[in-house]
Amino acid sequence: MTGPEAPGAPAAAAAPPAGFRSSLGYRFAPEILFFAVTAAAGVWAAGRWVDPTGDPGVWWSLAGRMARGERLYRDVYLQYGPLSPYLFLLTGKPFAFSRSWFLLANWIPALGAGLLLLRLTRQFLTAAERIALAGFLLSVSIFAARPARLVLPYSPAAIQAVCFALGAILVLQSRRPGRAWRGYAAGALAGLALCAKQEIGVAAFLAICAPIATDRRRAAGWTLRCLAGFAAVATLGALLILGTGASVESLRLDSHLWPLASVPAGWGGLFRRVAGLSTVDRVHSLASALWQMAKLTLAISIVAMLLAREKRRWLVGAGAALLALFLALDLARGQDLLPRTLPMAWSMTVAFSIAVLAWLDRRRKGRDVLIALGGFAGLVALRTAFSWDPSGPYSGITHLATTATWAIFILCFVSGWVPAGPDSRRRARTLWLALLLPVAWAGAARAVYALREPGRVPVTTPRGTIYCAARAAAQYEGIGRETRPGERALLLPETHALDVLYGMRDVSPLLGHLPGWLDERAERRLLVRLQTNPPDVVVLFERPTREFGVEAFGRGYAEALAGWIDRSYVRKVGLPGAVILRPREKPLSSSEIH
């Protein structure tokens, strides 16, 4: 089967006239719309989403510390590769690490990832279908609910790595005989992804090796060239890490740099919860979502066959009888009769399914790209494997590529499973599009509105205006009043970018003092450093740590450090959820504390 009817090709029934299809405006319509909406949303929201509390502030602090001469891995610990910190340093220094720079440094990679994904799916989806995909990208990833929002991600390294990875898969999509350099380019891009965020780089390299599954004999040269490009960039990254002066032991035990080190102790429970493995009714919830998806698929298939005037009426009757059975069982169980699909927890499974289905169907066009995209999306989504949470910190990253695999799965695979003629399948695809398009852009509209964060309070800092919840705003304003630029500070348990915003110097090599990072070894070494050269000020925040299965700082972990602070510092200013401490004139003994 060839031409527009080939499996995986955009449906001919949905295509406009040939002259219009060849126009530049039509071919880039989804990308133009996506860019225009994001630009308009950014102008309208006026940066009100820029809140450096928690994980996003870590990267702002990191760039400021590197600008002061602190060496990555040696003076300040980080579990990620070196590429993103140095990109932040090089781009931020000319702009004095201002709020505007921080906004754009996060916004541009998120926008780029969305555009790359829209281009990548052009081989499989029509322009109208990619417009629906653009809406879903905005609602569940780019402008998702905090903290999943990709324009202010938990880790800029993750979204930068995804950009490099999607670029590598695009090079795979464009490979042609006689253009050997593209193999090296794809491998180099995957290597850059590795240098940004290691596991995403590994997923990218495995993805561009997809031709091994579709064209084994002729794929050897491509794979070797990819390996050469990947290894060359990865080696440069490794040399850069070793050139910082950090020992291998420190990289493993202090920075927890993967693959030298595994996940920090105590983080296993957190990752199980993030992956949806701690949900009590996980199996029931997954089965319920599958049931609802099957019911919706049946309904659309029946309507498609009726619209196509399917001659085999028994197919329509069988589908209607099966749908009636579904509805009867729902009625007997007291469930909603209308399909209420919540398929997010199936995202990883659907991504891997696309790779498997493309591998099995030798007639399908673009098999290698489908295997690459499905495999990559599934591997990245392992972090949130069966999660229902659309707003977790990792959700925006994991649901970026799986949004595309969902669209391809429904429009290219599910719509083709209608047990009738080609006209019924085309109509099923059109019906799916008619359903998805308004749902996608209704979600996008809500996400754009939420981007303005109407409940946020503006806080003026030397780096620009940030927007926080009322309690955090009171903390920033109080700390800004009570501290002075150049003071040596200990910020616990998280920095919230206070050092870079107010010109303080963080004395700890840790970017965060949470369980797993602040283990017994790290606590001992930090205490030695603090006792030798005590900080001028300590800022201590209330920060529950239930996700790690322990009590908060000083009660469930870091008790020795908390005791030293109690003996050596006195409370000067109390703020909502925080306290500022200054050195005592004479430190207290342990007996005097109790």
Side-chain angles (χ1 to χ4, degrees), residues 154-238:
Y154 82 98
S155 167
I159 188 60
Q160 290 169 13
V162 168
C163 286
F164 290 123
L166 293 176
I169 299 174
L170 269 171
V171 174
L172 165 67
Q173 189 177 47
S174 66
R175 72 188 181 110
R176 300 287 186 276
R179 298 189 178 181
W181 64 269
R182 296 193 178 187
Y184 297 111
L189 287 169
L192 289 172
L194 179 81
C195 291
K197 201 163 190 297
Q198 299 93 309
E199 69 273 21
I200 294 178
V202 172
F205 176 71
L206 293 175
I208 59 176
C209 292
I212 293 175
T214 60
D215 193 10
R216 294 181 183 177
R217 292 182 180 178
R218 287 183 290 180
W222 165 267
T223 304
L224 288 174
R225 287 189 290 273
C226 287
L227 178 60
F230 180 79
V233 175
T235 300
L236 289 176

Side-chain angles (χ1 to χ4, degrees), residues 26-268:
Y26 174 78
R27 288 188 291 117
F28 287 92
E31 290 86 348
I32 293 170
L33 179 62
F34 178 81
F35 182 85
V37 170
T38 52
V43 172
W44 176 75
R48 293 183 63 91
W49 68 90
V50 179
D51 178 358
T53 57
D55 289 335
V58 166
W59 290 83
W60 208 345
S61 292
L62 176 60
R65 294 182 67 168
M66 292 175 67
R68 292 196 299 266
E70 295 188 48
R71 283 198 181 185
L72 191 62
Y73 306 117
R74 189 194 69 179
D75 302 323
V76 57
Y77 304 145
L78 184 72
Q79 72 269 41
Y80 302 119
L83 179 59
S84 296
Y86 282 106
L87 284 176
F88 256 46
L89 174 64
L90 293 174
T91 59
K93 203 167 185 179
F95 302 98
F97 304 103
S98 67
R99 193 289 304 261
S100 297
W101 159 80
F102 186 66
L103 184 157
L104 291 173
N106 286 287
W107 181 280
I108 291 172
L111 180 63
L115 291 171
L116 287 168
L117 199 55
L118 287 171
R119 293 308 295 166
L120 188 57
T121 55
R122 183 171 176 264
Q123 183 179 3
F124 311 105
L125 303 177
T126 66
E129 291 165 350
R130 290 190 299 127
I131 287 174
L133 172 59
F136 280 117
L137 286 173
L138 292 173
S139 62
V140 305
S141 188
I142 307 296
F143 294 156
R146 286 174 49 86
R149 190 174 290 153
L150 279 197
V151 292
L152 190 67
Y154 82 98
S155 167
I159 188 60
Q160 290 169 13
V162 168
C163 286
F164 290 123
L166 293 176
I169 299 174
L170 269 171
V171 174
L172 165 67
Q173 189 177 47
S174 66
R175 72 188 181 110
R176 300 287 186 276
R179 298 189 178 181
W181 64 269
R182 296 193 178 187
Y184 297 111
L189 287 169
L192 289 172
L194 179 81
C195 291
K197 201 163 190 297
Q198 299 93 309
E199 69 273 21
I200 294 178
V202 172
F205 176 71
L206 293 175
I208 59 176
C209 292
I212 293 175
T214 60
D215 193 10
R216 294 181 183 177
R217 292 182 180 178
R218 287 183 290 180
W222 165 267
T223 304
L224 288 174
R225 287 189 290 273
C226 287
L227 178 60
F230 180 79
V233 175
T235 300
L236 289 176
L239 292 174
L240 184 60
I241 292 172
L242 295 174
T244 62
S247 66
V248 174
E249 180 186 29
S250 178
L251 292 172
R252 185 171 63 88
L253 298 177
D254 298 325
S255 289
H256 299 279
L257 184 70
W258 187 86
L260 296 177
S262 58
V263 174
W267 283 47

Side-chain angles (χ1 to χ4, degrees), residues 393-417:
Y394 308 116
S395 298
I397 293 291
T398 59
H399 293 315
L400 180 76
T402 57
T403 301
T405 51
W406 263 114
I408 293 171
F409 179 71
I410 291 172
L411 295 166
C412 299
F413 289 88
V414 174
S415 63
W417 293 341

Side-chain angles (χ1 to χ4, degrees), residues 309-327:
R309 301 180 184 275
E310 174 60 44
K311 295 180 179 179
R312 291 172 291 177
R313 307 300 293 181
W314 66 269
L315 285 175
V316 180
L322 187 56
L323 181 59
L325 177 61
F326 272 74
L327 296 176

Side-chain angles (χ1 to χ4, degrees), residues 200-553:
I200 294 178
V202 172
F205 176 71
L206 293 175
I208 59 176
C209 292
I212 293 175
T214 60
D215 193 10
R216 294 181 183 177
R217 292 182 180 178
R218 287 183 290 180
W222 165 267
T223 304
L224 288 174
R225 287 189 290 273
C226 287
L227 178 60
F230 180 79
V233 175
T235 300
L236 289 176
L239 292 174
L240 184 60
I241 292 172
L242 295 174
T244 62
S247 66
V248 174
E249 180 186 29
S250 178
L251 292 172
R252 185 171 63 88
L253 298 177
D254 298 325
S255 289
H256 299 279
L257 184 70
W258 187 86
L260 296 177
S262 58
V263 174
W267 283 47
L270 171 65
F271 285 152
R272 284 192 296 273
R273 184 179 62 81
V274 168
L277 299 176
S278 300
T279 306
V280 175
D281 59 345
R282 180 177 72 254
V283 175
H284 176 268
S285 299
L286 289 169
S288 177
L290 188 61
W291 177 274
Q292 296 293 334
M293 188 69 185
K295 191 164 63 174
L296 180 59
T297 301
L298 262 177
I300 287 179
S301 299
I302 292 167
V303 175
M305 288 189 287
L306 289 172
L307 291 174
R309 301 180 184 275
E310 174 60 44
K311 295 180 179 179
R312 291 172 291 177
R313 307 300 293 181
W314 66 269
L315 285 175
V316 180
L322 187 56
L323 181 59
L325 177 61
F326 272 74
L327 296 176
L329 290 172
D330 278 342
L331 193 62
R333 296 181 301 168
Q335 303 293 325
D336 291 328
L337 297 182
L338 291 176
R340 295 182 179 272
T341 55
L342 295 170
M344 185 168 285
W346 283 97
S347 296
M348 179 195 71
T349 306
V350 164
F352 283 134
S353 296
I354 281 183
V356 173
L357 291 169
W359 175 66
L360 293 173
D361 186 357
R362 296 188 176 184
R363 298 181 305 160
R364 187 171 294 275
K365 286 189 173 182
R367 289 172 67 213
D368 52 351
V369 178
L370 285 174
I371 293 172
L373 180 59
F376 173 75
L379 289 170
V380 173
L382 283 170
R383 179 67 63 87
T384 57
F386 302 107
S387 173
W388 296 93
D389 184 7
S391 60
Y394 308 116
S395 298
I397 293 291
T398 59
H399 293 315
L400 180 76
T402 57
T403 301
T405 51
W406 263 114
I408 293 171
F409 179 71
I410 291 172
L411 295 166
C412 299
F413 289 88
V414 174
S415 63
W417 293 341
V418 178
D423 192 30
S424 294
R425 291 192 285 272
R426 282 194 294 270
R427 290 182 183 272
R429 184 164 178 164
T430 302
L431 287 170
W432 275 111
L433 175 61
L435 174 66
L436 295 175
L437 199 56
V439 171
W441 283 94
R446 289 192 296 269
V448 168
Y449 176 77
L451 188 66
R452 193 174 175 87
E453 298 277 13
R456 298 276 152 173
V457 177
V459 179
T460 301
T461 77
R463 304 291 182 183
T465 302
I466 59 174
Y467 296 85
C468 314
R471 175 166 142 156
Q475 294 171 353
Y476 277 106
E477 289 172 346
I479 294 166
R481 287 193 306 267
E482 299 296 330
T483 60
R484 297 179 297 276
E487 282 194 308
R488 302 176 66 258
L490 178 63
L491 309 171
L492 298 169
E494 294 176 290
T495 68
H496 304 300
L498 286 167
D499 50 346
V500 69
L501 288 174
Y502 293 111
M504 293 182 283
R505 299 178 67 90
D506 194 338
V507 299
S508 172
L510 298 170
L511 290 166
H513 303 79
L514 294 172
W517 277 96
L518 191 57
D519 54 21
E520 291 183 6
R521 179 181 188 273
E523 186 179 16
R524 285 196 308 270
R525 292 163 66 89
L526 181 58
L527 270 172
V528 170
R529 176 189 292 237
L530 297 176
Q531 290 166 349
T532 303
N533 195 2
D536 302 313
V537 61
V538 175
V539 181
L540 183 60
F541 293 94
E542 291 179 9
R543 172 38 165 108
T545 52
R546 290 185 295 271
E547 69 268 37
F548 301 100
V550 299
E551 290 295 319
F553 177 87

